[in-house]
Structures are given as C-alpha cells and as structure tokens.
Amino acid sequence: MKDIEKLDKEYVLHTYARNYVNFVKGENATLYDNENKDYIDFTSGIGVTSVGHGNKQVAKRIFEQVSNLTHTSNIYAIEPQALLAKKIKELSTYDVRTFFANSGAEANEGAIKIARTYGQTAFENKRYKIITLENSFHGRTITTVKATGQSSFHQSKFAPYPEGFSFNAIDDVYKAIDDETVAVMIELVQGEGGILPFPKEKIQELAKFLKDNKILLIIDEVQTGVYRTGEFLASNVYEIEPDIITLAKGLGGGVPIGAVMTNLKDIWGAGDHGSTFGGNYLVTSAGLEVLDILEKEKNSGKLDKTIEYFVEKMNDLYENNQNIFIANVGLGLMRGLRVKDADTLTNLIKTAFECGVMVLKSGNNTLRFLPALTISKDEIDEGFKRLQKAINKIA
C-alpha cells in the first residue's frame, strides 16, 4: 500500500484527495483489495460499472475485439459503432443519430456545438446562449465548467471562460430567455448537485414551451442514462422528446465512452466535428455488450425488482436513523439520503469505508448511492448492514 501511495504522490498530478486503498479484483458489486478485504460497492465507479466489476460477458467481448482490432480511426466505417448507434436509437425510441466521444464532458461539448450550429442556421440573427440550472454539473473542460451551475467550479485561475452561459432556478428559465438564447441544458436528476429529481410536470411544461419557441432542449444524461433511473433514459421516464441527449458513464461498463444523440440528423457535415478515439472498435463493442445485458435485465423484470429491493432497504435505513437523515430522495438506482450536516456526512462516508461499504457525496449534505444495476440481493443486504454498523459507530 505504501508503495502505491509513494508512486502516486511522486509521479501523478494531484487533482484528487486519494484514498490509498489498492483494489485488485472485483465481482459484480463487490471489490477486493490487495489484502483480500472485501467492500460492497454502492458507487460503481461513480455510475460507470453499470453491469458490475469483472463482468465476464463484457470481458469476453472486449477480448474478442482487441484480439482483432482496437482502433483504425473514424476515417473508415466502424461496424460496432454503427451497430451501437442503431441500438441507442431503438432503445431510446427517438429518431436520432449519434456521435461518439470519450467522456461525458466531451459529449456535452458536442451538444453545445450542435446547439450553436443550429443557432447559426435556424434564425435570422445568430443565437448562441445556453441556459443551465443552479447546482447542475456538465463537465470539467473550460466550456462545460462554465455551463455548470455552481459558482465554486468557476475558479478565477481558469479564466477567462467562454461567453454565452447562465444558470438559473428552473422556474426562472423562462424570464432568462432572450433573442440570443438557442438552448436550455438540464439534468433531469442532478447527480453532483444533491440527487434532485425535478417534478415531471415542470419538465414537460418547459419542454413544450421550448419547442413552441424553436429553442433546443438538451438533456444531460451522462449519469441518468443507460437504465440508471429504471428506463433506458430518464427522458423516457419524464415522457419528453429532447432535441439533444448526452450519454457516457454506464454506457461502456468501465471503458471511456461518450455519446451525443440528436434529432437534428443533418446538422453537421464532414469536418464539422471529430474525435480520434471516439467510437472505436474497443469501446463500441463493450457498449453493445453492456446494452445487451441491461436490455435483458429490464425486459425480464429483474432490473425493476432490483430497484424495488434496493429502495426498500434504503427506506428502512432512513426510517431507522432519523437522528442522521433528514430526507430520502432519488429515482431508480440513483438515490440519496440527506444528512443533517456536512461534518456528519464526511464522517459517515469515511466510517462506512472502514466498515467495508463504499458510498459517495453529492452536493453539501447528500449521501449518494449509484450501485451496479446488476447488484445482487445478498450484496444489497450486506451493504446496508455495514452502513448501519458505520452509523452506529459515529452515533
């Protein structure tokens, strides 16, 4: 352990407050460190390992692909990329085409570029402004940081930032729109902002207003997409049809992939956008296997039962610890428990890890749960048992 810590501190640029555990193996929602201690993982790599750690089907698909081709570049047609775009269209139920990138931030950059292209061509005078929401999070690039609706991310050392972004409360979006506004970009459940699902009626009203006024609706589904909220897209849950949707995290099951879906199917021509690695053989083959697995989980009813059981156990934890928790929030397997204060939250996450269960922070006071969508009942039971043990320790 000390060797890894020493190497990391000497050679890696420090942007994270590291926990120097050395994980060496994973099985579904259970991780093992180099001393063979096991941890129930309620985080799935921040919503990434959607079909669990060490998934044999995904590993086999990746091995078969990289044994033949890993990468040729987007100068040439890539069969698994085309098949994954087709699969995304079918599962979404929307009439879209998809561009593949390498991350959620890149996907959101692509969405912003599509919106500004639309703003150049659809109106007499160019429109370029994009409205986002308070407490939103859209990425770490200069542009997506500026689109993020949290002032703490807009650090002066990274300035100047691109113009054309503002963030508002959802009810204030309407009055923020002017004759240069081209799009509104939102998360239906805010992942980094406290696990906040917006009311369905408000979202539907906003979607209709924007469509009536020819303003694009961009839904950032980097965290909510790929069955995280119970359906393929949170947009399906909310019964809306956005103009642009972004995906990443759970789509690759652990390999880096991002995707921009849009109904503006002819918005770009050759050379308007690109990515060297985006949508290569490796990541799109992995994505196809992930979607095959999760589609079966959904169609069999197993995913819905997993969500129901996880929520039941989470409700029990909430009800039995009213001295710690003040609210129970979330959608699907994107859940949160509001903790009475920030210090208690920090202490709980640390103590939970020591007790062998991994959980996350969201916003200032929310304990966040993003388990693998394939998590077993035994893993759920053991995870909540260990979390209760941690609560007892800090109480």
Side-chain angles (χ1 to χ4, degrees):
M1 192 72 68
K2 291 295 181 185
D3 289 342
I4 264 196
E5 184 174 348
K6 182 181 177 183
L7 287 168
D8 182 83
K9 287 180 175 178
E10 188 168 351
Y11 298 111
V12 177
L13 194 63
H14 297 157
T15 59
Y16 293 93
R18 295 281 200 206
N19 183 331
Y20 284 102
V21 63
N22 182 11
F23 292 121
V24 295
K25 183 176 70 171
E27 296 175 2
N28 201 25
T30 306
L31 282 166
Y32 299 85
D33 67 17
N34 61 324
E35 297 177 347
N36 207 36
K37 178 180 177 180
D38 65 277
Y39 302 75
I40 302 300
D41 184 6
F42 280 169
T43 75
S44 64
I46 317 183
V48 169
T49 53
S50 52
V51 293
H53 300 289
N55 187 287
K56 299 295 188 289
Q57 290 171 250
V58 175
K60 182 184 178 192
R61 186 76 165 254
I62 289 173
F63 176 77
E64 289 172 351
Q65 184 58 66
V66 299
S67 296
N68 292 292
L69 280 173
T70 303
H71 179 85
T72 60
S73 94
N74 283 297
I75 294 171
Y76 312 102
I78 299 169
E79 184 179 10
Q81 180 184 121
L83 291 172
L84 184 57
K86 179 176 182 284
K87 190 71 170 177
I88 286 171
K89 177 185 185 297
E90 292 169 349
L91 293 176
S92 74
T93 72
Y94 303 140
D95 186 16
V96 293
R97 287 180 178 161
T98 298
F99 174 87
F100 291 100
N102 306 288
S103 67
E106 282 187 46
N108 285 334
E109 287 269 355
I112 291 165
K113 288 176 75 173
I114 289 172
R116 288 189 167 176
T117 305
Y118 172 81
Q120 176 78 26
T121 58
F123 304 96
E124 186 175 342
N125 298 312
K126 178 176 172 62
R127 294 190 174 203
Y128 69 100
K129 292 180 180 176
I130 295 175
I131 296 169
T132 63
L133 298 183
E134 290 178 345
N135 300 313
S136 62
F137 180 83
H138 297 294
R140 295 280 191 170
T141 66
I142 289 291
T143 301
T144 55
V145 161
K146 185 58 177 174
T148 290
Q150 300 182 57
S151 298
S152 60
F153 283 92
H154 306 160
Q155 298 179 47
S156 60
K157 60 189 169 189
F158 300 135
Y161 292 95
E163 296 180 356
F165 296 94
S166 64
F167 54 90
N168 301 267
I170 191 165
D171 292 330
D172 295 331
V173 167
Y174 300 93
K175 62 185 180 185
I177 293 170
D178 62 23
D179 59 7
E180 292 180 306
T181 301
V182 69
V184 174
M185 184 176 188
I186 63 176
E187 303 156 281
L188 296 172
V189 184
Q190 291 186 330
E192 302 294 332
I195 313 298
L196 177 64
F198 289 103
K200 187 174 181 179
E201 306 75 28
K202 281 190 178 183
I203 296 298
Q204 290 180 337
E205 288 171 11
L206 178 60
K208 184 179 184 306
F209 176 85
L210 296 177
K211 187 174 288 291
D212 289 346
N213 288 275
K214 298 182 179 180
I215 297 169
L216 300 182
L217 175 60
I218 305 171
I219 301 295
D220 178 341
E221 298 229 27
V222 167
Q223 196 165 135
T224 59
V226 195
Y227 294 104
R228 175 58 58 186
T229 58
E231 300 295 335
F232 179 61
L233 299 171
S235 300
N236 300 137
V237 177
Y238 278 74
E239 300 179 287
I240 56 173
E241 291 195 26
D243 301 289
I244 306 169
I245 298 171
T246 58
L247 300 174
K249 289 191 178 287
L251 180 59
V255 300
I257 188 171
V260 191
M261 310 158 51
T262 182
N263 57 21
L264 303 168
K265 297 196 294 182
D266 298 308
I267 192 75
W268 282 338
D272 283 339
H273 194 44
S275 171
T276 298
F277 295 105
N280 71 21
Y281 284 90
L282 166 63
V283 298
T284 51
S285 292
L288 280 167
E289 192 63 36
V290 167
L291 293 190
D292 282 348
I293 293 167
L294 292 179
E295 184 181 19
K296 288 172 185 172
E297 292 272 317
K298 177 63 179 177
N299 291 344
S300 68
K302 190 175 179 181
L303 176 61
D304 292 339
K305 288 178 182 176
T306 298
I307 293 170
E308 183 180 354
Y309 191 72
F310 192 93
V311 172
E312 177 187 325
K313 292 296 180 181
M314 189 171 161
N315 288 343
D316 290 344
L317 188 78
Y318 171 71
E319 293 294 338
N320 293 332
N321 296 280
Q322 295 288 293
N323 59 320
I324 296 283
F325 303 120
I326 57 175
N328 185 353
V329 295
L331 187 64
L333 285 177
M334 187 174 178
R335 317 295 307 188
L337 291 172
R338 302 258 193 271
V339 178
K340 62 181 182 179
D341 59 68
D343 288 342
T344 301
L345 175 61
T346 300
N347 195 8
L348 178 54
I349 292 171
K350 179 178 179 292
T351 307
F353 189 82
E354 292 167 357
C355 292
V357 59
M358 299 158 63
V359 283
L360 295 162
K361 177 184 178 181
S362 176
N364 294 321
N365 69 333
T366 302
L367 188 69
R368 177 167 44 156
F369 300 79
L370 292 170
L373 304 180
T374 55
I375 190 170
S376 69
K377 279 190 173 183
D378 287 346
E379 288 170 322
I380 294 171
D381 289 341
E382 184 62 26
F384 279 108
K385 177 182 173 183
R386 294 180 185 188
L387 194 51
Q388 183 62 63
K389 181 181 177 181
I391 291 169
N392 294 343
K393 279 192 170 188
I394 68 170

